[in-house]
């Protein structure tokens, strides 16, 4: 399989992302800055990101085949490899979400779904044990609105994993770069690779549902004038040539995924038990109808006075949006009532809900906020995993 040299990225981005918008304020989004290697986790310089995931790297095991080890780690977040554990993801086989699932849960079976909502539904209906959703990235901030989707359902966050996303240009075997006339991929992938595609003279770009779906379309229709943007593992899975890799305009391109389980499932029950030395993280949402700054200051004060570190704090003011409804939140304590709020804060903090100081902070916030919901307590994973 042919592999062109990596494109040079002139402006590497920072490992941390802080995005703002009229309707959304990301006060703090901490993206992990280490990359797991076969020997031990190590810090990866953003300038080296284009060298990730060469096309000749060995393929990931799909649907439980092969040795259940990814990046040399036999288990992630304290979870042993579980053969037969079903993880639902959005996209076709070979999607980045599937590779994230295989990395987080070695030996699992994966269930492709057309939409993110379908992946959540698969867990609720018992067709899958977990669903995996991308929730934020260094290039899009939290523009991936799967947090909003999570709030509408009674699932628990049981695990997190951050994946380095390396975009490659894939084509049918034997097709040369000069023969390519158009590029297909997910809209975000096309947007993330705009400068690189312009350098290659590829200005005809057509969006499809997902990156792996683009590869599937390319292969099934034997398109000889078309290339797809996807992962190097997708190239190996579908038998395609890699014309170029490291296409992303910003070389440090990391996406954070959350794994969700039903609160009554064995997966959720098992995920709640961690070794005593395991660093924990808790995700929660705080909703309010009054002024947003009041509850924001209360959250900052409650955690700061108890020396509890926040790793994420995102404020959404939906009342400032035009022609868009407020955020919907399922109130799990009120018999599953779906409620709407104009002001919502997403909060991640270091520690467990069993910690007395954390419990005090949550109780204090609850006295001001109209709704506080714990989305999950899980083992913190500071590593960023690549697709080697």
């Amino acid at each position: 399989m042919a592999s062109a040299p990596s494109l040079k990225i002139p402006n590497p981005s920072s490992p941390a992302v802080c995005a703002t918008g009229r309707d959304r304020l990301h006060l703090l989004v901490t993206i992990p800055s280490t990359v797991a290697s076969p020997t031990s986790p190590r810090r990866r310089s953003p300038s080296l990101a284009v060298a990730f995931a060469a096309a000749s790297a060995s393929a990931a095991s799909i649907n439980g085949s092969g040795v259940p080890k990814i990046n040399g780690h036999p288990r992630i977040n304290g979870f042993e490899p579980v053969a037969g554990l079903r993880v639902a993801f959005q996209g076709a086989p070979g999607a980045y979400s599937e590779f994230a699932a295989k990395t987080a849960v070695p030996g699992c079976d994966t269930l492709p779904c057309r939409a993110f909502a379908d992946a959540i539904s698969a867990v609720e209906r018992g067709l899958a044990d977990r669903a995996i959703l991308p929730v934020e990235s260094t290039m899009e901030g939290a523009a991936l609105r799967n947090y909003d989707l999570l709030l509408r359902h009674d699932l628990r966050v049981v695990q997190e994993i951050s994946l380095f996303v390396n975009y490659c240009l894939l084509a049918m075997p034997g097709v040369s770069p000069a023969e390519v006339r158009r590029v297909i991929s997910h809209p975000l992938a096309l947007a993330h690779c705009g400068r690189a595609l312009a350098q290659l003279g590829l200005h005809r770009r057509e969006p499809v549902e997902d990156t792996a779906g683009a590869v599937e379309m390319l292969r099934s229709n034997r398109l000889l004038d078309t290339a797809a943007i996807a992962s190097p593992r997708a190239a190996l899975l579908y038998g395609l040539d890699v014309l170029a890799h490291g296409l992303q305009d910003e070389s440090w391109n990391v996406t954070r995924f959350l794994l969700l389980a039903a609160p009554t499932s064995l997966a959720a029950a098992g995920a709640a038990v961690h070794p005593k030395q395991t660093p924990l993280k808790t995700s929660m949402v705080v909703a309010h109808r009054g002024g947003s700054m009041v509850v924001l200051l209360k959250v900052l004060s409650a955690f700061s006075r108890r020396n509890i570190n926040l790793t994420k704090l995102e404020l959404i003011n939906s009342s400032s949006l035009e022609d868009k409804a407020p955020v919907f939140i399922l109130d799990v304590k009120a018999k599953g009532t779906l409620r709407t709020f104009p002001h919502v804060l997403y909060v991640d903090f270091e520690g467990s809900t069993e910690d007395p100081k954390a419990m005090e902070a949550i109780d204090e916030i609850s006295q001001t906020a109209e709704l506080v919901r714990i989305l999950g307590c899980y083992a913190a994973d500071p590593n960023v995993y690549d697709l080697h």
Side-chain angles (χ1 to χ4, degrees), residues 316-328:
I316 296 178
N317 286 315
S318 60
S319 59
S320 66
L321 292 173
E322 297 178 0
D323 301 323
K324 187 172 181 179
V327 177
F328 286 81

Side-chain angles (χ1 to χ4, degrees), residues 27-292:
L27 295 172
L28 176 64
V29 178
T30 301
I31 299 296
S33 58
T34 59
V35 178
S37 72
T39 54
S40 63
R42 69 181 185 276
R43 186 169 299 275
R44 167 69 73 174
S45 168
S47 63
L48 299 179
V50 292
F52 265 72
S56 58
S58 59
S61 57
I62 301 299
N63 287 330
S65 63
V67 179
K69 285 189 177 183
I70 307 294
N71 288 335
H73 291 260
R75 60 181 185 175
I76 307 294
N77 276 350
F79 291 99
E80 298 287 349
V82 182
L85 191 71
R86 302 161 300 173
V87 182
F89 70 96
Q90 185 277 329
Y96 287 99
S97 291
E98 183 180 39
F99 292 129
K102 287 290 181 179
T103 304
V105 189
C108 70
D109 295 328
T110 50
L111 176 65
C113 298
R114 182 177 180 86
F116 293 116
D118 296 330
I120 288 180
S121 177
V123 175
E124 293 175 327
R125 295 163 55 196
L127 301 177
D129 302 297
R130 297 181 193 172
I132 186 167
L133 302 180
V135 291
E136 60 199 31
S137 76
T138 51
M139 297 187 72
E140 293 294 328
L144 305 167
R145 293 319 311 152
N146 285 326
Y147 273 117
D148 293 349
L149 185 61
L150 171 59
L151 297 186
R152 296 169 180 256
H153 298 268
D154 187 15
L155 298 183
R156 300 290 188 272
V157 180
V158 297
Q159 195 172 349
E160 68 172 346
I161 185 168
S162 296
L163 186 70
F164 179 86
V165 177
N166 180 43
Y167 287 125
C168 296
L169 190 66
L170 313 182
M172 290 292 293
V175 172
S176 67
E179 297 175 281
V180 177
R181 295 291 179 266
R182 67 168 180 165
V183 179
I184 57 175
S185 194
H186 186 277
L188 286 180
L190 293 172
H192 291 172
C193 302
R195 290 201 304 266
L197 293 176
Q199 292 175 16
L200 295 173
L202 298 173
H203 302 287
R204 184 182 171 190
R205 307 162 194 175
E206 298 181 13
V208 295
E209 289 187 353
D210 57 79
T211 56
V215 173
E216 198 173 52
M217 181 187 306
L218 184 70
R219 185 71 189 183
S220 61
N221 295 310
R222 298 190 61 80
L223 303 175
L224 302 180
D225 65 342
T226 302
I229 297 176
S231 72
R233 291 290 178 81
L236 291 165
L237 183 63
Y238 289 90
L240 299 177
D241 285 353
V242 178
L243 302 183
H245 60 88
L247 286 178
Q248 56 270 16
D249 293 337
E250 304 295 341
S251 61
W252 188 246
N253 185 18
V254 175
T255 296
R256 181 187 180 217
F257 296 82
L258 296 179
L259 283 93
L260 315 174
T264 57
S265 70
L266 292 176
V273 179
H274 304 281
K276 292 183 179 180
Q277 292 75 22
T278 302
L280 298 180
K281 179 186 291 187
T282 298
S283 295
M284 60 185 287
V285 63
V286 180
H288 190 52
R289 297 190 189 279
S292 60

